[in-house]
């Protein structure tokens, strides 16, 4: 369902499949477990087109709230415009702002620069 790697000191997590409604909590937990393991690296969640669904957005938003508690920068990249809007509209105002990018390369550079 997801893969991860470090790139330029940024934890890059790629969500490859839609978790479905029943898998949202599990996906959020997987993301936050990776964040805990790689803390304090900034985190970029890349949502592949096949995973660009409301269920994935919900899981990422839950992980974003938990990253805010850790004071860890979490941003998102997805080509899917409706998913970007859904994330931006529901990110909430508490904690660090969720930055949503349409391009992965720009998102990695931005996360790396912000963490430096």
């Amino acid at each position: 369902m997801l893969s991860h790697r470090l790139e330029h000191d940024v934890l890059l997590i790629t969500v490859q499949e839609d978790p479905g409604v029943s898998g949202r909590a599990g996906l959020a937990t997987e993301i936050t477990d990776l964040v805990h393991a790689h803390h304090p690296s900034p985190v970029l969640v890349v949502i592949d087109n096949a995973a660009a669904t409301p269920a994935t957005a919900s899981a990422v938003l839950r992980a974003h709230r938990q990253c805010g508690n850790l004071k860890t920068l979490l941003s998102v990249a997805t080509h899917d415009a409706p998913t970007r809007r859904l994330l931006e509209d529901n990110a909430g105002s508490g904690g660090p702002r969720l930055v949503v990018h349409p391009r992965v390369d720009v998102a990695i550079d931005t996360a790396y620069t912000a963490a430096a």
Side-chain angles (χ1 to χ4, degrees), residues 12-93:
L12 183 62
I13 300 172
T14 302
V15 182
Q16 301 157 333
E17 298 175 18
D18 174 17
V21 173
S22 62
R24 290 180 299 184
L27 178 59
T29 299
E30 286 183 65
I31 293 169
T32 55
D33 287 349
L34 287 168
V35 170
H36 280 284
H38 292 87
H39 186 72
S41 294
V43 179
L44 171 62
V45 176
V46 177
I47 302 173
D48 284 347
N49 286 339
T53 66
T56 300
S58 175
V60 170
L61 289 167
R62 182 181 295 184
H64 174 252
R65 284 189 297 277
Q66 292 183 3
C67 285
N69 294 337
L70 294 171
K71 307 286 191 256
T72 299
L73 174 69
L74 183 138
S75 54
V76 179
T78 182
H79 295 294
D80 187 71
T83 300
R84 285 196 309 270
R85 281 192 298 276
L86 185 61
L87 289 163
E88 290 167 346
D89 291 347
N90 292 285
S93 58

Side-chain angles (χ1 to χ4, degrees), residues 91-116:
S93 58
R97 183 167 89 61
L98 179 64
V99 179
V100 183
H101 299 273
R103 293 182 39 192
V104 175
D105 58 338
V106 172
I108 292 171
D109 289 343
T110 302
Y112 178 70
T113 301

